[in-house]
Amino acid sequence: MAFMARKTKRVERRTDALSRERIIAAAIDILDAGGEGALTVRALAARLATGSGAIYWHVADKSELLAAAADEVIARVITAVAGGTGPREAIRAIALGIFDAIDAHPWVGSQLFREPWRPATLEIIESVSGQLSALGGPDAAQFNSVTALLHYILGVAGQNAANARLVAPGTDRSAFLASVAARWRAQDPAKYPFVRQMAAQLRDHDDREQFLAGVDLILAGIEAVR
Amino acid sequence: MAFMARKTKRVERRTDALSRERIIAAAIDILDAGGEGALTVRALAARLATGSGAIYWHVADKSELLAAAADEVIARVITAVAGGTGPREAIRAIALGIFDAIDAHPWVGSQLFREPWRPATLEIIESVSGQLSALGGPDAAQFNSVTALLHYILGVAGQNAANARLVAPGTDRSAFLASVAARWRAQDPAKYPFVRQMAAQLRDHDDREQFLAGVDLILAGIEAVR
DNA sequence: ACCTGAACACCGTTCAAGT
DNA sequence: ACCTGAACACCGTTCAAGT
């Protein structure tokens, strides 16, 4: 018994040892719970029951840590959506997977813009372009198609990340959209007539469905141009 | 003569008085010259030959200042591209205007994500949706079209803003794209075959033209769905 | 090899004190 | 009304010192 307890404790000690993986996991927890502003090296060290300096033994700096955390989240998404359907459906599934991941981890949205050679970006490009190549067409058209889809997805991701910064963590999207709609409606009708008209649709829409409508729009364009 | 000199000096004094406009103009100068990281309240105060606290008499905080600076840049773009061509051409002109503005002021790209009720965002939405409504179609389809175009534009803007942060201010885009292409080509062929294939196109392409190709792709989709 | 935590060089923001 | 600038409460990062 005493022996087992000691052994268990030793194993726990080993588990408790600092590592790049544990640091990234703790960072993800903090980011999910409190948003981008909550992740400080001091907060991270406190949660890991260590000193701030210890973090830097395993991770170059804070920005690399954020990028690595985003890579981790996106890698899970891409692995999860590896389905055996047709290219159109696969692209929709990838896009939705990213959308949902950013809904759950809004801070990932802003990380997707950093360094276009990070795994997070490469995984998205690779999976989208793999599916698009199945649709056929000349190389130049495919390149345009991939980047159009990618930038649309990044645009929505970045917007959702920014929106999350404006509300308390955990607030649902539709409540926020209603408040944006109210502000749109309050604008000067002479200056922003179309924006005011769009306010009603913004309030009532499901932005997840609408995101997918945008993907479909681009896919329709890809097929029209091909 | 002496009287004139005194009068001139007094006028200069008046011009030198701190104001929201002068602060925003100075902020734009600093941001353009040194990027987002160069704008600190201390640097701004030094350039305006005043104390840090004085800034806060005219501007709520640094984030509002950044947003106001972006509003200013975007307002100029929208005013400048007010042409009398057809809706398709007008949308291309608006999109290109924004692209070029962000090329000249990369920091604007990240500001476009903040608060979807800021003038910068409203002006873009208003001008794009005004042109799209000329193309006709049901309201719901128009809403999808506007947001698809907007998010694509925001995606490119955000990416260019982030890229600018990676290089010394003033570096041209094509040199940076070549370095990204080199990194793509260096990836594991088993893991990222499509990314590696795309590297050559990334190196050789003109990203301004390609941005426009994406706009055309979405416009084609809008017409196909309509 | 890995961890500690005080120290450093910065931030944005506030506010009593001035004019 | 507007400006000053020291002070405050934070940051990320470093590094001598420990184990």
Side-chain angles (χ1 to χ4, degrees):
Chain A
M1 259 293 238
F3 175 71
M4 292 246 322
R6 264 226 283 159
K7 193 167 185 188
T8 304
K9 194 161 186 200
R10 198 174 285 170
V11 171
E12 275 173 348
R13 273 285 209 77
R14 267 184 156 257
T15 309
D16 278 10
L18 220 48
S19 68
R20 191 178 155 87
E21 289 70 39
R22 281 193 66 227
I23 291 171
I24 291 172
I28 291 176
D29 285 347
I30 293 175
L31 288 162
D32 287 348
E36 222 154 321
L39 183 68
T40 66
V41 177
R42 281 168 180 80
L44 190 58
R47 167 180 275 252
L48 291 164
T50 185
S52 341
I55 308 287
Y56 290 86
W57 184 263
H58 301 274
V59 151
D61 54 28
K62 197 190 157 184
S63 108
E64 200 235 330
L65 173 59
L66 266 161
D71 289 344
E72 168 86 22
V73 171
I74 294 298
R76 280 188 225 148
V77 172
I78 301 294
T79 310
V81 297
T85 50
R88 257 192 93 101
E89 286 313 306
I91 287 173
R92 288 167 57 106
I94 295 163
L96 263 191
I98 296 170
F99 185 93
D100 290 338
I102 283 155
D103 189 33
H105 317 278
W107 51 273
V108 172
S110 41
Q111 291 304 312
L112 293 180
F113 290 103
R114 298 191 177 248
E115 300 173 329
W117 52 81
R118 298 260 355 167
T121 308
L122 293 183
E123 304 248 33
I124 296 173
I125 293 175
E126 181 68 21
S127 59
V128 169
S129 65
Q131 296 300 333
L132 274 179
S133 78
L135 283 179
D139 274 12
Q142 292 210 10
F143 188 62
N144 286 342
S145 305
V146 174
T147 55
L149 265 171
L150 177 72
H151 284 132
Y152 171 71
I153 293 170
L154 290 190
V156 175
Q159 188 67 73
N160 284 354
N163 291 348
R165 247 176 264 131
L166 296 175
V167 297
T171 315
D172 73 325
R173 294 194 309 269
S174 68
F176 173 74
L177 289 175
S179 84
V180 176
R183 284 181 194 258
W184 282 14
R185 185 154 292 285
Q187 298 296 320
D188 178 6
K191 226 179 149 191
Y192 299 118
F194 291 104
V195 165
R196 278 175 47 97
Q197 254 178 266
M198 286 177 62
Q201 281 163 287
L202 182 69
R203 187 181 3 91
D204 299 334
H205 84 156
D206 176 337
D207 62 344
R208 191 170 180 272
E209 263 179 40
Q210 204 218 322
F211 167 70
L212 211 52
V215 172
D216 287 336
L217 197 67
I218 296 174
L219 286 172
I222 290 171
E223 282 168 7
V225 164
R226 196 179 38 172
Chain B
M1 260 290 242
F3 174 71
M4 292 248 322
R6 264 225 285 159
K7 192 164 184 188
T8 304
K9 195 162 185 201
R10 198 175 283 171
V11 171
E12 274 173 349
R13 274 281 211 78
R14 268 182 155 258
T15 309
D16 278 11
L18 220 50
S19 69
R20 190 177 154 88
E21 290 71 38
R22 282 194 66 227
I23 292 171
I24 291 172
I28 291 176
D29 285 348
I30 292 174
L31 288 162
D32 287 348
E36 223 154 320
L39 183 68
T40 67
V41 177
R42 280 169 180 79
L44 191 57
R47 166 180 274 252
L48 291 164
T50 186
S52 341
I55 308 287
Y56 289 86
W57 184 262
H58 301 274
V59 152
D61 54 27
K62 197 191 157 181
S63 110
E64 201 235 330
L65 174 59
L66 266 161
D71 289 342
E72 168 86 22
V73 170
I74 294 298
R76 278 186 227 151
V77 172
I78 301 294
T79 309
V81 297
T85 50
R88 256 191 94 100
E89 285 313 305
I91 287 173
R92 288 167 55 108
I94 294 164
L96 262 192
I98 296 171
F99 185 93
D100 290 337
I102 282 155
D103 188 34
H105 317 277
W107 50 273
V108 172
S110 41
Q111 291 304 313
L112 293 181
F113 290 103
R114 298 191 178 246
E115 300 173 328
W117 52 82
R118 296 262 351 168
T121 309
L122 293 184
E123 304 247 32
I124 296 172
I125 294 176
E126 182 68 23
S127 58
V128 168
S129 65
Q131 297 299 334
L132 275 179
S133 78
L135 283 178
D139 275 11
Q142 291 209 11
F143 188 62
N144 286 342
S145 305
V146 173
T147 54
L149 264 171
L150 177 71
H151 283 132
Y152 171 71
I153 292 170
L154 290 189
V156 175
Q159 188 67 72
N160 284 354
N163 291 349
R165 246 176 267 131
L166 296 174
V167 296
T171 315
D172 73 325
R173 296 193 307 269
S174 69
F176 173 74
L177 289 174
S179 84
V180 176
R183 284 182 195 257
W184 282 14
R185 185 154 291 285
Q187 297 297 320
D188 178 4
K191 227 180 151 192
Y192 299 118
F194 291 103
V195 166
R196 278 174 47 96
Q197 256 179 267
M198 285 176 64
Q201 282 163 288
L202 182 69
R203 187 182 2 92
D204 299 333
H205 84 154
D206 175 338
D207 61 345
R208 191 171 181 270
E209 262 178 42
Q210 203 217 319
F211 167 69
L212 210 51
V215 173
D216 287 336
L217 198 66
I218 296 174
L219 285 172
I222 289 171
E223 282 168 8
V225 165
R226 197 181 38 173

